[in-house]
Each structure stands twice: as structure tokens, then as C-alpha cells.
Amino acid sequence: MDFTHPSSSSGSWNCLCNVVEYSGIFDSESRQPHSRCMENTRVALRRSITQVLDQRDRTNIWLNGLAGVGKTSIAFTIAEEMKSAKRLAATFFFSHKHAQKAATIIPTIAYQLALAFPRIRGDIVKAIENDDSLLSDGKSHVDQMRELVIRPLQTLKFREESYVIIIDALDECFSQEEAARLVALLTDTLSGPSLPLIHLIFTSRPEVHIRAAMPSGVHEILLTTRDKDTIQDVRFFLRTSLDKTRTIRPAVFGQPPIPWPSEDEFETLVFKAGGLFVYAAMAMNFISTAGHHPQEKLELLLRKKSTVGADIDQLYREIIEASKDPLAHCRMLASIINLRHPLSLAELQELFYVDKRSLAMMLEAFSPVILNDGAGHIEIYHASLRDFMNDPSRSKQYHIDAPHTHEHLACCCLDFIARQGSVRTHAILVSPSPYPYPYQMWDIHLRSAYPSSKLRNLLSRFTNESLQHWVQTSNSNLTLLESIQGARRTCLSLKWIRSPSDIVVAWRLHKGSKKFAKRY
């Protein structure tokens, strides 16, 4: 039995809690709705994973497969089962949906270890007390791993039970190099004989850099859309979901509900889904959209014949084509996908103030592929949508290239800044709270933007009006200084300078950054 260390310092513990990336913890509230396997699906696969985890060795697992085959759902379900068995040591679920930082990975794992094993919490806290920089962004992961994870775990080396650490979606890690370093760090440091038995589970797409990083002896499980068990599970999911839709819509299907859909329609839908769980899930989102007859949405989904199953691109195109203004809505969707970090609905409405109506229509039309939880959180349903929109060979006529997407975002940011007025701007600049998204990211989008006349005009207005207010009012904030300097570098580049007025804008930014730097 573990006992909480009596000398744990609340100050150091609070410091750790403040840097934890809670979105990386598998069952955190910020990850709602949680993606888990439906009951009675993936049974054989989950059993085979559990058999490996029950072995008295240090065999690690790499679960890989294409986007949409259900890797995260499997990882979540295994994490739930291990937590219930008191064998879950820690998790980190990567996601583009959350603004995660590389520096938080090891502290987040250490935080979970302290909760799972209260006996080592005092050792983790003491390590933080002994090194003020241990939780800083610049601290090496090797040092953090040694002090926050390995040394505390050594006190548990005589435990007979084996434990599990799950790292999900490595391909959504910050960079290929970061993903490879993380695999090497965890597999190398957690394999020592002075530690309790810990199995690592990694999930990712089967990308070359991740395969190269995996150690020899890793137990690889490849998920495919052609596996008979997977196809059968997708069939079960679709049948159960359609029956649920039929049952909860008595005004449409009667009471008791009439049979629906026809066997031909069901088999066609199963074929289209193939073994791709994400296709099946989004197809059900589309079919069961509120305010529409499920049969009409099903017919819309089935109207185009498929020559291959699991064609996620065709599903995305059909959802886009069903909207009233596909190109305008795709531009809005591309902008949301290319934000530097996710924004709430209220923040999106402020950022896309001029396009507020288009935003509302887009969120409604694309509700099968965009999550809007009613509490203000907006997220894309699955990373495959980002891949689809960013690849012109897949999205075809609906592709919005990156320069024009960032031009739209830069314009929206500058428009937001201009709309605030002097009183509101002053309040924002002197506030200790984080600046709104446009104040933080306008220069980032400007750097990658197509230099349209609209953007040039907004930038000219900014340098003529808002910039001086920033220089005079701001509390020497490094974020604002770096944004002005970044914009200056962009506007001095050859792609921007096309007329004398562009030189004036660049000169204003140059003078503004110099004055700001002196104050800083």
C-alpha cells in the first residue's frame, strides 16, 4: 500500500500542477467527447494487447495504422481497462486540437505517476525543490526524465505487478525529430532493471521516422481496413447506430419503429465504410443531423457509387457538396484548421466578425465533421479532415491554399485589432491577462500570407493608427515586441515591397520596433 510522503511541499507540487498538459491525459475533461471502443467491438485485438501487457517482461507495443482505423479509441479503451485494474502509470495523448507544448510531456507523466503511486510524490516534489529550472521550457527532457520519473520509480522496483504508459498519436507530435527523440527517451530509460516492470504502448500512423525510432523487439500491431474482424466491427457499429437513430426518432419512424434502412442500403453503407471506423462515425453524424430526415441524408450519402471501400475523401466531398456555399464554407474551414491553436466559439465569432454569418452556416453544414459541444468548444472531428483539406490532390476544387488561408486569417486579426478602439485597446494592453488571439498571432499569419491589396490596406491602417498606441501604452510586453519585429521582417522581404506605400509601412514597423525595444 502506498502512503503520501509527509514532507511534500505544496508550493513545488503546485508548480508541477501548473505546467501539466491536462489535454494529454486520456480521460481529462478537455478531451471530451472521449473516443472509446463500442461495447463488443475490437474484442480480439484488445485481448491480444492485454496478453502482451500481462507478460513478465518489458515488451513494448507499437499499434499503427492509417488515419481513421480507430487507434485512439483502442488506446483510450486499454487505458480505461488498465486504470480500472490499477495498472495505468501514465498517458499522453497528442492532438492538433490542443495547444500542447513539448516541454510539458515529462512533467505531465510525472504528475500522473505521483497520483498513481502516492509513495513517490515526495521524491518528485523534492526534485523540483532541488532544481528551480527542472520544469522550465529549456530544461532537457533527459534531465527531466531522470529526476522526475526514473529516480522516483526506483523506489518501486520490487513491485510484482506490471504497469503501462500509453503514448497516443505520435504522428501528431510537434515534429518528426521530437517524436523520434521521445520514443528513444522512453524506451531507453524505462528498460532498466532497477525499475518496476513498465510496458509502453505507442500508437501512430506507420510513418518512416517513427518506424526507424522503434527499438528492435517492439511488438508491432498493424491495423488495416481489410481485416475481417475490423470490417465486422464496423458493420456492428453501423447496425447499432442506425437502430439507435431509428428508435429515438419516433416522429419519423413511428412507434414501434419501422424497419430501416433497407438491406441494400445498409450493405452499400458498410461497403463504403470498409474497415474505417472514422468513416462510419462521421457517416452516422451526417445521417443523424438534427432537423433533417435520416433517409434523405442516407440517400445523399449513397447517391455516388464507390468502387473502393473506406473512401474518406468521397465522404468529405459529399458533406461539402451538401452545404449551400461550399467554397465559402471551405475557406472558413481551412482558416479554422490553420489557426495556431484552437479557439472557442465566442473567440471565433469575434475573429471572423465580418464573416460571422458564414461561420454559423459552415458550423451547421459541416456539423458531421466539426465538434461543437454547446459549451463553446469547436474542434474538427478527426485529423484526417486536416489532411484532406491541406492536400490539393484530395480536396481538388475545394482546396484553399495556405497563403490565401493565412491572408484571410491575417486580415481577420488586423480587422479585430482595428475594431477595438482606443479605450478597449488600452485595457487589453495593460491587462495582466493573456492577449486575445489576434494580438498574439497576427504577425505569424502575416508571414505566411498572400500579400493581397486588402491585407496591405489593413496593415497600412494598423501601422498608421494602432502601432503608435501599442508603443506608447504597452507594458513592454515581449509578445508584442516580437510580433512587431516579425511583421517588420516580413514587410522588408521582396514579396511584399511592390510600391512606395509598402516601403512606408515597413519603415513605420521598423521605427515602432526600435522604440518598443528601447522601452523593453
Side-chain angles (χ1 to χ4, degrees):
M1 180 177 179
D2 282 332
F3 297 94
T4 304
H5 198 288
S7 63
S8 295
S9 166
S10 60
S12 295
W13 176 252
N14 288 339
C15 288
L16 176 61
C17 293
N18 289 337
V19 300
V20 168
E21 181 54 71
Y22 292 96
S23 69
I25 301 174
F26 84 103
D27 57 355
S28 70
E29 196 64 24
S30 62
R31 292 189 58 82
Q32 290 278 14
H34 294 141
S35 175
R36 57 169 57 85
C37 297
M38 177 181 279
E39 189 176 358
N40 298 319
T41 63
R42 305 289 189 153
V43 176
L45 174 61
R46 284 154 49 193
R47 187 185 302 117
S48 68
I49 292 174
T50 302
Q51 287 173 350
V52 175
L53 301 180
D54 288 341
Q55 295 174 10
R56 296 291 302 163
D57 57 21
R58 300 183 186 275
T59 301
N60 299 319
I61 296 174
W62 179 32
L63 183 68
N64 66 80
L66 299 177
V69 294
K71 300 182 293 294
T72 294
S73 296
I74 295 166
F76 182 93
T77 304
I78 294 295
E80 276 192 320
E81 293 172 354
M82 290 296 106
K83 184 175 183 179
S84 178
K86 300 187 183 306
R87 293 176 56 193
L88 184 66
T91 63
F92 199 97
F93 279 45
F94 288 101
S95 174
H96 287 307
K97 300 175 184 177
H98 303 98
Q100 298 170 330
K101 296 181 180 179
T104 65
I105 299 172
I106 305 305
T108 301
I109 291 175
Y111 165 79
Q112 294 173 84
L113 290 174
L115 297 181
F117 311 111
R119 180 179 168 187
I120 69 172
R121 171 172 162 168
D123 297 323
I124 294 172
V125 168
K126 187 176 181 180
I128 297 169
E129 291 174 348
N130 292 339
D131 185 350
D132 292 338
S133 67
L134 194 55
L135 301 178
S136 66
D137 290 353
K139 196 68 173 180
S140 79
H141 288 182
V142 173
D143 289 345
Q144 287 184 330
M145 191 72 183
R146 182 182 61 250
E147 301 300 329
L148 294 174
V149 176
I150 301 305
R151 285 182 175 171
L153 280 176
Q154 287 174 346
T155 63
L156 307 176
K157 65 180 179 180
F158 295 116
R159 294 209 169 198
E160 295 183 0
E161 191 67 85
S162 61
Y163 300 95
V164 183
I165 293 177
I166 301 176
I167 308 296
D168 180 61
L170 266 173
D171 49 285
E172 295 192 34
C173 191
F174 315 101
S175 68
Q176 293 185 1
E177 294 76 16
E178 190 72 46
R181 284 198 298 269
L182 181 61
V183 171
L185 177 64
L186 293 176
T187 55
D188 290 347
T189 57
L190 290 171
S191 61
S194 62
L195 299 175
L197 283 174
I198 295 179
H199 297 277
L200 291 164
I201 298 179
F202 299 99
T203 79
S204 74
R205 302 183 194 189
E207 296 183 352
V208 174
H209 67 281
I210 295 177
R211 181 175 295 280
M214 286 295 162
S216 60
V218 69
H219 183 83
E220 181 179 355
I221 300 176
L222 175 61
L223 298 178
T224 74
T225 59
R226 299 181 299 275
D227 178 73
K228 289 183 179 180
D229 287 341
T230 301
I231 293 173
Q232 189 61 36
D233 284 344
V234 170
R235 170 185 288 273
F236 177 81
F237 171 85
L238 286 171
R239 174 59 75 189
T240 303
S241 300
L242 289 166
D243 285 346
K244 180 180 178 181
T245 299
R246 185 169 60 100
T247 303
I248 65 175
R249 302 283 291 272
V252 175
F253 296 106
Q255 189 65 35
I258 62 174
W260 177 82
S262 71
E263 280 304 309
D264 285 346
E265 289 171 330
F266 178 71
E267 291 300 331
T268 302
L269 183 60
V270 170
F271 175 78
K272 276 177 166 281
L276 208 56
F277 269 92
V278 70
Y279 186 110
M282 286 190 292
M284 286 309 309
N285 290 345
F286 184 71
I287 292 167
S288 56
T289 303
H292 297 271
H293 196 298
Q295 179 61 26
E296 292 178 356
K297 302 295 281 186
L298 177 62
E299 290 174 356
L300 196 60
L301 195 60
L302 302 182
R303 66 183 179 181
K304 290 188 177 179
K305 299 296 182 183
S306 295
T307 57
V308 294
D311 190 350
I312 195 72
D313 291 1
Q314 183 173 321
L315 174 62
Y316 285 139
R317 284 193 291 270
E318 287 167 350
I319 292 172
I320 291 170
E321 289 167 4
S323 73
K324 293 181 179 178
D325 194 346
L327 289 178
H329 294 167
C330 281
R331 184 178 77 151
M332 187 65 66
L333 177 61
S335 295
I336 291 175
I337 287 174
N338 282 278
L339 290 168
R340 297 293 290 185
H341 60 74
L343 298 180
S344 68
L345 177 59
E347 290 171 320
L348 290 174
Q349 289 171 335
E350 280 297 309
L351 179 61
F352 301 128
Y353 184 80
V354 176
D355 301 318
K356 193 179 293 186
R357 183 171 178 271
S358 180
L359 172 66
M361 293 177 65
M362 185 276 293
L363 291 176
E364 180 180 350
F366 293 170
S367 60
V369 295
I370 294 181
L371 295 174
N372 182 356
D373 65 3
H377 303 108
I378 304 296
E379 301 174 356
I380 62 171
Y381 186 86
H382 194 265
S384 59
L385 178 59
R386 178 182 289 104
D387 298 339
F388 171 81
M389 290 299 298
N390 289 339
D391 187 343
S393 68
R394 296 176 61 185
S395 47
K396 298 186 177 2
Q397 72 269 32
Y398 301 119
H399 176 69
I400 310 295
D401 64 49
H404 283 89
T405 298
H406 287 287
E407 183 265 345
H408 180 232
L409 286 167
C411 285
C412 289
C413 287
L414 291 170
D415 177 71
F416 176 94
I417 293 169
R419 281 189 284 110
Q420 301 314 299
S422 59
V423 175
R424 173 63 179 152
T425 297
H426 180 84
I428 291 173
L429 294 176
V430 300
S431 172
S433 302
Y435 290 144
Y437 181 91
Y439 281 70
Q440 298 182 47
M441 300 297 176
W442 68 280
D443 68 301
I444 303 297
H445 295 301
L446 182 72
R447 182 193 311 160
S448 303
Y450 170 74
S452 67
S453 58
K454 178 182 178 181
L455 179 55
R456 290 166 183 273
N457 290 336
L458 284 167
L459 189 58
S460 177
R461 180 182 175 186
F462 167 79
T463 58
N464 192 41
E465 299 174 5
S466 303
L467 180 58
Q468 290 304 313
H469 205 118
W470 282 24
V471 173
Q472 294 167 7
T473 309
S474 173
N475 293 329
S476 303
N477 186 281
L478 181 59
T479 298
L480 293 185
L481 172 59
E482 290 177 342
S483 70
I484 296 170
Q485 291 175 334
R488 179 193 63 185
R489 287 191 293 270
T490 298
C491 292
L492 286 172
S493 65
L494 292 177
K495 80 169 186 176
W496 272 91
I497 298 180
R498 298 181 179 179
S499 68
S501 61
D502 296 327
I503 298 176
V504 172
V505 168
W507 177 244
R508 288 174 185 162
L509 288 167
H510 176 74
K511 288 198 302 180
S513 65
K514 290 291 185 182
K515 290 180 180 179
F516 206 112
K518 286 180 180 179
R519 294 191 62 203
Y520 189 79

